[in-house]
């Protein structure tokens, strides 16, 4: 962003659209050292972003070949939670190799996204508290969702009781921890067009004898 490299510390997710084109979704940012906290010595304000990139046979040279997507509006819902709206659903313009959406400083993504079979990508983003370490302030964040193939549709719901953990998506509910070790937050979601989310992998845990 602006010629400055953005760290990817949270992980990535991969999805294939109806035409067989593979997309890689991820967000940028880090929260590892004291210098990553706004107001602390060494902190440098930097714009972080969310990306949906085509995984093709050619290298993506720069953000110039990506479609810039934006946060269209912000507000507050009936329960007092912060909300945001992304661009209305539309196709990715011809010739673009993906999309990106810049986040407000100091918002960042430090956990992996989850992509459903219809291409809806869910992720959490965090806003560290200013001038504090992890133990003395909780920060805030958002639970977000967007179409990973187009960078449109969806929006965000604010989390005010701490920085949200990675999003766990089950049938019509997205759940995050809130970072204070005491609470979780669930959001009721419209069921995706392809049907309810389903398990795509599993791991067997065998007790030690």
């Amino acid at each position: 962003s602006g010629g400055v490299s953005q760290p990817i510390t949270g992980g990535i997710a991969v999805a294939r659209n109806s035409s067989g084109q593979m997309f890689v979704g991820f967000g940028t940012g880090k929260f590892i050292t004291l210098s990553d906290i706004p107001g602390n010595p060494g902190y440098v304000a930097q714009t972080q972003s969310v990306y949906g990139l085509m995984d093709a046979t050619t290298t993506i040279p720069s953000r110039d070949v990506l479609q810039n997507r934006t946060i269209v509006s912000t507000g507050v819902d009936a329960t007092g939670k912060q909300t945001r709206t992304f661009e209305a659903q539309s196709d990715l313009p011809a010739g673009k190799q993906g999309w990106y959406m810049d986040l407000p400083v100091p918002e960042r993504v430090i956990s992996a996204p989850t992509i459903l079979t219809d291409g809806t990508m869910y992720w959490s983003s965090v806003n560290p508290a200013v001038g504090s370490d992890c133990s003395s302030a909780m920060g805030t964040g958002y639970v977000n969702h967007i179409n990973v193939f187009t960078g449109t549709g969806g929006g965000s719901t604010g989390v005010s009781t701490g920085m949200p953990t990675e999003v766990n998506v089950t049938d019509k509910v997205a759940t995050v921890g809130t970072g204070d070790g005491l609470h979780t937050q669930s959001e009721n979601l419209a069921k995706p067009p392809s049907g309810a989310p389903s398990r795509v992998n599993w791991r067997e845990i065998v007790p030690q004898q």
Side-chain angles (χ1 to χ4, degrees):
S1 173
V4 179
S5 297
Q6 297 167 301
I8 305 169
T9 61
I12 66 174
V14 179
R16 191 188 302 272
N17 67 14
S18 59
S19 300
Q21 175 64 60
M22 194 77 76
F23 278 73
V24 180
F26 60 91
T28 70
K30 67 186 182 80
F31 189 61
I32 300 173
T33 67
L34 289 177
S35 62
D36 294 327
I37 304 174
N40 275 11
Y43 171 75
V44 177
Q46 181 185 4
T47 298
Q48 304 299 338
S49 311
V50 180
Y51 290 87
L53 306 180
M54 287 185 181
D55 184 7
T57 57
T58 57
T59 300
I60 296 176
S62 70
R63 301 210 312 178
D64 293 338
V65 298
L66 305 178
Q67 180 66 29
N68 180 18
R69 299 301 194 186
T70 59
I71 299 172
V72 175
S73 64
T74 61
V76 179
D77 66 13
T79 66
K81 292 179 182 178
Q82 296 289 322
T83 61
R84 301 188 298 198
T85 303
F86 302 150
E87 293 183 25
Q89 185 68 43
S90 64
D91 293 336
L92 194 66
K96 294 296 184 180
Q97 294 178 257
W99 57 271
Y100 70 92
M101 182 172 64
D102 290 336
L103 302 173
V105 178
E107 187 177 350
R108 66 201 71 173
V109 181
I110 57 173
S111 59
T114 297
I115 304 178
L116 304 187
T117 55
D118 69 333
T120 303
M121 181 172 74
Y122 294 89
W123 79 94
S124 62
S125 54
V126 302
N127 283 298
V130 176
S132 302
D133 60 26
C134 298
S135 62
S136 62
M138 296 184 296
T140 61
Y142 287 92
V143 178
N144 312 271
H145 67 286
I146 203 168
N147 186 307
V148 71
F149 304 133
T150 66
T152 59
S156 310
T157 300
V159 177
S160 60
T161 53
M163 294 185 292
T165 61
E166 185 171 317
V167 180
N168 178 46
V169 182
T170 56
D171 186 10
K172 295 196 293 184
V173 175
T175 305
V176 293
T178 57
D180 63 358
L182 301 174
H183 302 92
T184 60
Q185 178 168 319
S186 299
E187 297 299 331
N188 291 323
L189 305 169
K191 186 175 293 186
S194 58
S198 59
R199 186 179 66 189
V200 295
N201 58 52
W202 60 277
R203 178 180 298 174
E204 182 180 5
I205 301 176
V206 180
Q208 186 175 9
Q209 301 296 327

